């Protein structure tokens, strides 16, 4: 009986995974509002009834996908940055490397977060609150690194921490949008190298940046 229950649980999870994979693809390519439950059912090879057996509605599917964004994206990002160091520059490199690994394996989750943050920014729905929570965590990670860099004398102090963090997150999101727009024209390691180099250069205090260029030049 235990074996049978395990088998049913695995089957249910397999069905849920199919639904979420199909919905993720549709939400990224067509947008949340442009996707219907019928389309999710067709793309997943399941019936509409099967979708509603596992999820209350389309919003419930999006909620589950945003949970994946936090689990596969924000949680490991937070852990990796905390473990890197001791310099803030090391932590920012770790941030870029974690982004690279996500881009190779789970690009669509990142794109979903970006699209959702834009599409629902002014709407009073549950998805807005969840995506705001996700981005608040991302901003907090980056702001902590920038504050550390300022305290260590490595990062510039002429621009506020929140403004610098906004620049980093904008560059981060733009990287994923470029992958989506340009596909195979851009290789993940190449664009991550550009993101890492240019972002850190932009954060460095003028004297530190000059010393770095002198060493490399």
């Amino acid at each position: 009986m235990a074996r049978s229950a395990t088998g049913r649980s695995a089957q249910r999870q397999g069905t849920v995974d199919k639904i979420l994979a199909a919905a993720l693809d549709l939400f990224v390519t067509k947008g949340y509002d442009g996707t219907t439950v019928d389309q999710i059912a067709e793309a997943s090879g399941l019936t509409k009834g099967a979708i509603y057996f596992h999820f209350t509605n389309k919003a419930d599917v999006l909620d589950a996908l945003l949970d994946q964004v936090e689990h596969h994206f924000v949680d490991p990002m937070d852990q990796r940055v905390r473990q890197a160091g001791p310099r803030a520059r090391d932590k920012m490199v770790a941030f870029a490397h974690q982004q690279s690994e996500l881009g190779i394996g789970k690009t669509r989750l990142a794109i979903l977060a970006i699209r959702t943050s834009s599409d629902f920014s002014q709407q009073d729905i549950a998805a807005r609150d969840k995506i705001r929570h996700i981005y608040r965590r991302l901003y907090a990670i980056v702001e902590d690194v920038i504050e550390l860099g300022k305290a260590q004398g490595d990062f510039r102090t002429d621009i506020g921490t929140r403004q610098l963090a906004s620049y980093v997150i904008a560059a981060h999101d733009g990287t994923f949008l470029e992958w989506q727009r340009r596909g195979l024209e851009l290789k993940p390691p190449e664009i991550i190298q550009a993101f890492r180099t240019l972002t850190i250069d932009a954060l460095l205090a003028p004297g530190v940046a000059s010393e770095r260029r002198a060493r490399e030049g």
Side-chain angles (χ1 to χ4, degrees):
M1 184 174 293
R3 231 179 268 164
S4 176
T6 301
R8 287 196 298 272
S9 177
Q11 185 177 22
R12 282 197 297 271
Q13 188 58 52
T15 301
V16 169
D17 289 343
K18 284 183 180 180
I19 295 169
L20 292 178
L24 177 60
D25 185 60
L26 288 166
F27 290 163
V28 166
T29 55
K30 294 178 176 294
Y32 176 80
D33 289 336
T35 299
T36 66
V37 174
D38 285 324
Q39 289 171 332
I40 296 172
E42 182 179 357
S44 61
L46 300 167
T47 64
K48 191 173 178 179
I51 308 295
Y52 284 121
F53 179 81
H54 294 283
F55 297 95
T56 304
N57 48 37
K58 186 176 68 168
D60 197 24
V61 177
L62 176 60
D63 185 73
L65 285 170
L66 291 177
D67 283 340
Q68 288 191 3
V69 170
E70 187 162 16
H71 175 69
H72 291 294
F73 182 18
V74 186
D75 290 345
M77 180 78 76
D78 192 12
Q79 183 178 13
R80 186 162 186 167
V81 169
R82 288 178 187 278
Q83 291 175 347
R87 309 299 299 185
R89 281 177 286 182
D90 300 326
K91 293 182 180 295
M92 194 56 67
V93 169
F95 180 90
H97 283 179
Q98 183 64 33
Q99 182 205 36
S100 176
E101 292 179 10
L102 175 68
I104 292 171
K106 300 185 182 298
T107 307
R108 288 185 178 272
L109 279 176
I111 296 295
L112 176 70
I114 295 166
R115 285 204 65 160
T116 305
S117 68
S118 175
D119 293 346
F120 299 147
S121 60
Q122 303 301 320
Q123 297 184 38
D124 187 18
I125 58 176
R128 182 198 64 177
D129 293 336
K130 179 160 283 190
I131 199 64
R132 282 183 175 177
H133 164 73
I134 288 170
Y135 269 87
R136 275 197 299 267
R137 287 191 62 191
L138 283 176
Y139 280 114
I141 292 168
V142 175
E143 287 173 7
D144 284 348
V145 174
I146 292 171
E147 283 292 310
L148 176 63
K150 288 183 175 184
Q152 291 173 338
D154 288 342
F155 288 174
R156 62 194 308 156
T157 57
D158 58 326
I159 299 176
T161 296
R162 290 182 66 187
Q163 287 75 21
L164 288 173
S166 293
Y167 165 82
V168 173
I169 295 299
H172 166 275
D173 286 0
T175 298
F176 285 105
L177 293 175
E178 277 294 282
W179 281 341
Q180 184 187 36
R181 277 193 293 259
R182 298 179 64 178
L184 297 177
E185 292 180 37
L186 290 174
K187 294 186 174 74
E190 294 171 348
I191 194 168
I192 287 299
Q193 172 71 21
F195 168 80
R196 184 182 69 186
T197 302
L198 295 175
T199 298
I200 293 177
D201 279 352
L203 293 174
L204 290 177
V208 177
S210 299
E211 291 174 8
R212 177 179 173 179
R213 283 192 291 270
R215 286 196 307 270
E216 295 174 352

